[in-house]
Amino acid sequence: MTHVLSMLVENHQGVLSRIAGLFSGRGYNLESITAGVTADSQVSRITLVCKGDDNVIDQIKKQLNKLIDVIKVTDLSPLPSLHRELALIKVRAKPNQRGEVFQVADVFRARVLDVGIDSMVLEVTGSSDKIDNFIAVLQPYTLREVARSGLISMERGRKQTSTQPQQRKGASEKLNDDFKITIA
Amino acid sequence: MKISGAELFVKALKAEGVKHLFGFPGGVVIPVFDVLYSEPEIKVILTRHEQGAVHAADGYARSTGKTGVCLVTSGPGATNTVTGIATANFDSVPIVCFTGQVSRTMIGNDAFQEADIVGITRPITKHNYLVLDRRDLGRILKEAFTIANSGRPGPVLVDLPKDVILEKGDDEYPAKVSIRGYNPVLKGHPNQIKRAAGELKKAKKPLFYVGGGIHIAGAVEVFRKAVKKTGVPVVHSLMGTGAVPGDDPLSLGMLGMHGTYVANMAVSHSDLLFGIGNRFDDRATGDLSKFAPEAKIVHIDQDPVSISRNVPVEVPIVGDARQVLEQMLPLLEATKIDEWLEQLSSWRKEHPLEVQVGRDGNTGHLRPDSVIRTICRVFPDAIIATEVGQNQMWTSQFFTFRHPRSLLTSGGLGTMGYGFPAAIGAQFANPDKRVIDIAGDGSIQMNIQELATAVYNKLPVIVAILNNGYLGMVRQWQELFFDRRYSSTCLMTGAECPPQCKGPGDHCPVYHPDFVKLAEAYGAVGLRVMKDSDIEPALKEADRIKDRPIFIDFLVEREFNVFPMVAPGAGNTDMIFSEGGE
């Protein structure tokens, strides 16, 4: 099953490499990874999409939590959450095809960023599924280039992820509670 | 006051109580060694190879629980530490390893002796740092020492660019740091502890299964109390050796590939397996689908990653083994498990540990078990280091370990060449104890250059070489599973040998190299033992020497094997007891 993990990490050099290296070194499946700084310039948010059965996902979360630079890992998959990806797509479009491409773009609420003699660049945001569909619909026009950002995600509602260290006792109970959930 | 990075580094070592620093200098770290030159409180030990420095720091740390520290230069100095760091990481040993780096302006330019050691060691350290700002140096040094020896300990590497070492900056070394992404859980969850104690009370065939975590947490004393109070028998992993005295009636010995028959039978039939500080490693469990099929599993471990990774755990407890056991001890009660204990004692009698006669019988050389049993008799309280292979497994089988932290061995990574430098480190930390490296003739040659370190520091480390002229464990596998095709395992293969040798013959030299002459060349004592009756006198002679290392070359049977053995991939009850596969 595919899981979306949203992580707060120290904004140090090498953090991305630690996380990517963990996946390659331990043979975990990493589908996409994005990183960017948060409102606090010391902290970055990394969103990653990974695949695996429950045991593997459980190990991935524990291994990520073990990294010193990782402050918090949240599995967004069971939570009500928002997921967005951005893509830039360059298609071949002769002048007589532009109208059609504009129409398709309109249906997907994509924007036209650039028009050339026989090409156009489109920008689209949405779920990964929507972007897959958009790319599929554009296939007849010959895709010249596709650039996708990878997923960024956030939990719905007012809850704010804290970067403060958890209370020791709380942390202990939390960990053991997590295990109970895993086992149940 | 403004001081250089090197001066702050030395200040940090002193604040951390570091008395011994294992190192090897080189271009970029000369300024650090220069400060150490006039520092009376820290003894710098020059090893003869950087790998030796890390293993020595490791042996120092394992035998005491204190953090081992090493300092090497950039490039090849740094890359030579890799095996030592990976060894320490696998066995959770607290080490801080400092490497020099080229100046910040040169990094990435393929400068002379540049290596991205932080990138190289990322997956084999608990954490690592490249110091890019002199202002961060004090904090990073403190974090390194904090992380290395807390929670589940491990090696931390700090890469120090030359210009950071030279730059003058503030002299503050913080007394404490808080790291928001790092909060090891020490106390166990009270409800889980209650559940675990309840399971132990209900069980009819309970069994403790302890690993290295019990030594690391300093939990041996409280664990022995728990064993005494409950009367529950104990099996241990290689790293858990010494958790209970090996001759305790409740000690069943090691489980797994070269474990005892009774330990493997016990695990396979128990109804409650109570793991403490162990990892359920593949060498211990064998085929997972056949591992402890009837048992509920309780698992106490510091590292959540180890829990429910290889086997599903019913009662997980994250925490420090000592603290959790102290919390649990008042809840424990004596068990009534006479039937189970009787069953265990009949298994124990069925297949006691013994060295079998090799395929060709005893050819008049020494028996490895006699050598190790005699070492145990002459030096019952020694700290024992081993190399890796047959020497390591025979040591775990025939030396009766009675004390915590008395076996230093590379369990996880299985590093040949670990034992001798580790013994040197342990001897520095334990000047009043006997430290003995039980080695093979293959692995001792992997770090034999450290003889010089031991000689110059007047360390009376005893190296007992079980010399069979083979890379014995690999040869054993070739004998059992590859039709005796001894490919590249004979250490005496020469131009005169038949092209496809399947065993020793008249053409073989008696030994090679001459370890006695080699030891003497370095200024150590060399002894050779070829007769059974000379084993004990040689060890006693070694015991009289207190001012230099002693190599004893024991010429043992060339084709003796380690039995019992669970074949790789087989279940733990599927044990082989002799070459015939019986």
Side-chain angles (χ1 to χ4, degrees):
Chain A
M1 195 185 143
T2 303
H3 283 244
V4 179
L5 306 184
S6 173
M7 308 157 55
L8 293 178
V9 303
E10 296 288 348
N11 189 8
H12 290 162
Q13 43 117 233
V15 175
L16 203 57
S17 157
R18 274 181 215 283
I19 291 166
L22 179 73
F23 277 78
S24 61
R26 294 190 180 268
Y28 301 142
N29 185 317
L30 180 59
E31 303 221 312
S32 82
I33 183 163
T34 63
V37 72
T38 63
D40 175 353
S41 65
Q42 312 262 301
V43 178
S44 295
R45 184 179 295 279
I46 290 181
T47 310
L48 60 83
V49 182
C50 56
K51 239 184 187 168
D53 62 30
D54 289 352
N55 279 340
V56 170
I57 296 293
D58 196 42
Q59 273 293 313
I60 290 174
K61 287 192 268 184
K62 287 176 179 175
Q63 293 281 5
L64 288 169
N65 262 313
K66 199 171 157 177
L67 296 175
I68 311 278
D69 282 337
V70 171
I71 303 164
K72 176 133 184 117
V73 181
T74 311
D75 187 352
L76 291 177
S77 303
L79 304 172
S81 44
L82 304 162
H83 306 280
R84 286 292 178 273
E85 194 177 351
L86 181 142
L88 300 179
I89 300 157
K90 190 183 283 176
V91 293
R92 200 168 83 167
K94 300 223 167 88
N96 62 350
Q97 295 174 305
R98 277 181 202 147
E100 292 170 40
V101 175
F102 269 110
Q103 274 181 3
V104 174
D106 202 35
V107 172
F108 283 85
R109 299 189 185 201
R111 295 205 302 153
V112 177
L113 295 187
D114 182 54
V115 178
I117 295 170
D118 66 345
S119 73
M120 296 169 75
V121 177
L122 307 166
E123 174 200 312
V124 63
T125 53
S127 68
S128 298
D129 273 356
K130 175 183 161 183
I131 291 170
D132 289 345
N133 286 336
F134 186 50
I135 292 170
V137 171
L138 289 173
Q139 287 289 351
Y141 301 99
T142 310
L143 297 170
R144 284 202 158 137
E145 276 188 288
V146 175
R148 299 177 68 153
S149 65
L151 207 64
I152 56 166
S153 305
M154 191 173 278
E155 195 181 342
R156 280 180 190 274
R158 62 192 293 269
K159 211 165 117 191
Q160 185 189 342
T161 326
S162 163
T163 54
Q164 293 310 304
Q166 288 168 300
Q167 291 292 312
R168 184 148 289 180
K169 183 153 175 276
S172 149
E173 279 167 12
K174 174 84 177 55
L175 266 170
N176 284 295
D177 285 348
D178 280 353
F179 284 124
K180 269 183 253 162
I181 293 162
T182 319
I183 288 144
Chain B
M1 197 180 78
K2 298 267 184 217
I3 59 173
S4 72
E7 286 166 324
L8 182 56
F9 166 84
V10 174
K11 182 180 173 183
L13 294 193
K14 283 161 72 178
E16 294 296 330
V18 175
K19 297 273 180 279
H20 296 87
L21 173 70
F22 300 91
F24 201 102
V28 299
V29 288
I30 295 175
V32 184
F33 279 88
D34 188 63
V35 180
L36 290 163
Y37 186 69
S38 48
E39 179 47 66
E41 281 180 43
I42 299 169
K43 182 171 174 58
V44 180
I45 296 129
L46 172 67
T47 56
R48 295 307 189 263
H49 189 292
E50 289 88 349
Q51 187 187 350
V54 186
H55 287 328
D58 176 314
Y60 187 93
R62 282 193 214 222
S63 62
T64 59
K66 292 186 207 158
T67 304
V69 186
C70 39
L71 169 65
V72 302
T73 192
S74 64
T79 56
N80 272 344
T81 64
V82 167
T83 303
I85 291 172
T87 304
N89 191 49
F90 227 132
D91 293 340
S92 314
V93 182
I95 284 181
V96 184
C97 181
F98 297 97
T99 52
Q101 181 56 277
V102 300
S103 292
R104 283 168 291 183
T105 48
M106 310 278 278
I107 290 177
N109 285 351
D110 292 343
F112 177 66
Q113 292 197 329
E114 179 185 356
D116 173 16
I117 195 62
V118 167
I120 291 169
T121 58
R122 216 167 260 144
I124 54 164
T125 48
K126 185 170 174 186
H127 196 50
N128 62 13
Y129 296 90
L130 167 61
V131 185
L132 286 173
D133 191 332
R134 168 68 181 78
R135 286 170 299 181
D136 294 337
L137 182 61
R139 175 185 56 83
I140 287 176
L141 293 171
K142 185 67 196 177
E143 286 188 9
F145 277 98
T146 306
I147 290 169
N149 209 350
S150 58
R152 177 179 180 175
V156 177
L157 181 137
V158 183
D159 202 18
L160 302 165
K162 184 178 182 183
D163 53 345
V164 172
I165 290 171
L166 292 173
E167 190 178 322
K168 298 262 186 193
D170 70 56
D171 65 346
E172 201 203 327
Y173 182 66
K176 213 172 165 244
V177 283
S178 115
I179 307 159
R180 57 184 163 182
Y182 179 68
N183 297 291
V185 176
L186 299 176
K187 274 216 156 37
H189 190 285
N191 287 342
Q192 296 291 86
I193 289 174
K194 224 176 278 172
R195 274 180 67 199
E199 294 293 348
L200 202 58
K201 196 159 83 178
K202 271 192 296 186
K204 300 213 162 26
K205 300 188 235 171
L207 189 64
F208 284 120
Y209 163 17
V210 295
I214 207 143
H215 296 297
I216 295 167
V220 168
E221 200 181 322
V222 60
F223 174 65
R224 288 181 180 183
K225 280 186 198 160
V227 172
K228 206 168 169 203
K229 198 168 175 191
T230 57
V232 171
V234 184
V235 300
H236 62 79
S237 69
L238 181 64
M239 306 311 292
T241 304
V244 287
D247 47 5
D248 188 296
L250 286 173
S251 170
L252 306 180
M254 185 170 80
L255 83 165
M257 182 171 278
H258 292 295
T260 61
Y261 177 71
V262 56
N264 281 333
M265 291 301 277
V267 169
S268 303
H269 291 84
S270 84
D271 64 354
L272 180 75
L273 193 56
F274 197 113
I276 306 169
N278 60 317
R279 295 192 288 122
F280 295 95
D281 166 75
D282 59 279
R283 282 294 191 268
T285 61
D287 182 353
L288 280 173
S289 68
K290 294 173 187 156
F291 179 73
E294 296 161 25
K296 266 195 184 177
I297 295 180
V298 175
H299 191 191
I300 302 171
D301 203 89
Q302 176 69 84
D303 185 359
V305 162
S306 299
I307 295 182
S308 288
R309 169 156 62 181
N310 298 336
V311 297
V313 172
E314 271 85 359
V315 188
I317 302 174
V318 177
D320 173 82
R322 184 171 61 80
Q323 295 204 21
V324 173
L325 286 172
E326 277 168 2
Q327 286 171 275
M328 194 180 297
L329 194 61
L331 307 176
L332 297 177
E333 294 171 21
T335 51
K336 293 186 195 74
I337 48 168
D338 295 343
E339 236 174 274
W340 175 231
L341 293 176
E342 259 167 54
Q343 172 69 73
L344 293 173
S345 99
S346 81
W347 279 328
R348 195 198 289 264
K349 278 177 212 141
E350 206 174 317
H351 286 287
L353 276 178
E354 52 190 340
V355 161
Q356 277 64 31
V357 189
R359 189 186 292 269
D360 300 325
N362 196 322
T363 62
H365 288 93
L366 303 173
R367 290 170 54 121
D369 64 325
S370 311
V371 176
I372 294 168
R373 285 186 163 125
T374 314
I375 294 174
C376 185
R377 204 165 54 241
V378 179
F379 303 103
D381 301 315
I383 293 173
I384 302 290
T386 78
E387 306 290 339
V388 166
Q390 289 185 317
N391 62 78
Q392 180 185 33
M393 291 297 106
W394 279 324
T395 301
S396 85
Q397 291 183 338
F398 302 116
F399 194 97
T400 308
F401 289 91
R402 297 185 181 85
H403 306 292
R405 295 189 180 277
S406 57
L407 172 62
L408 316 177
T409 191
S410 170
L413 194 67
T415 306
M416 288 171 70
Y418 166 80
F420 185 35
I424 289 174
Q427 188 75 78
F428 273 110
N430 303 272
D432 302 329
K433 286 195 184 156
R434 265 294 170 190
V435 182
I436 303 171
D437 175 34
I438 299 181
D441 54 312
S443 36
I444 190 61
Q445 292 184 69
M446 280 209 180
N447 269 320
I448 200 154
Q449 76 286 345
E450 299 309 331
L451 252 171
T453 313
V455 167
Y456 280 103
N457 289 285
K458 297 188 182 299
L459 301 180
V461 170
I462 298 174
V463 179
I465 303 170
L466 304 176
N467 186 349
N468 57 14
Y470 280 115
L471 300 171
M473 188 57 94
V474 180
R475 186 210 54 74
Q476 171 170 342
W477 284 43
Q478 288 170 335
E479 176 179 344
L480 297 175
F481 311 120
F482 290 86
D483 187 31
R484 284 187 121 186
R485 292 160 61 88
Y486 290 170
S487 179
S488 296
T489 42
C490 179
L491 293 168
M492 301 193 284
T493 302
E496 318 72 40
C497 292
Q500 293 192 332
C501 177
K502 290 198 166 197
D506 296 337
H507 56 276
C508 299
V510 182
Y511 48 79
H512 181 87
D514 186 334
F515 286 110
V516 173
K517 276 192 187 157
L518 191 75
E520 285 166 355
Y522 273 97
V525 176
L527 304 170
R528 179 166 294 112
V529 179
M530 302 174 78
K531 283 206 316 256
D532 204 53
S533 56
D534 290 344
I535 299 175
E536 190 161 334
L539 290 168
K540 288 197 163 146
E541 188 181 338
D543 195 26
R544 280 191 289 275
I545 298 162
K546 311 281 186 199
D547 62 347
R548 68 201 117 142
I550 307 103
F551 264 40
I552 313 179
D553 187 20
F554 292 102
L555 297 187
V556 299
E557 286 291 348
R558 296 203 62 198
E559 288 187 283
F560 270 23
N561 293 325
V562 184
F563 289 119
M565 177 178 191
V566 176
N572 269 353
T573 51
D574 210 0
M575 304 182 83
I576 310 168
F577 294 97
S578 72
E579 287 77 4
E582 242 317 281

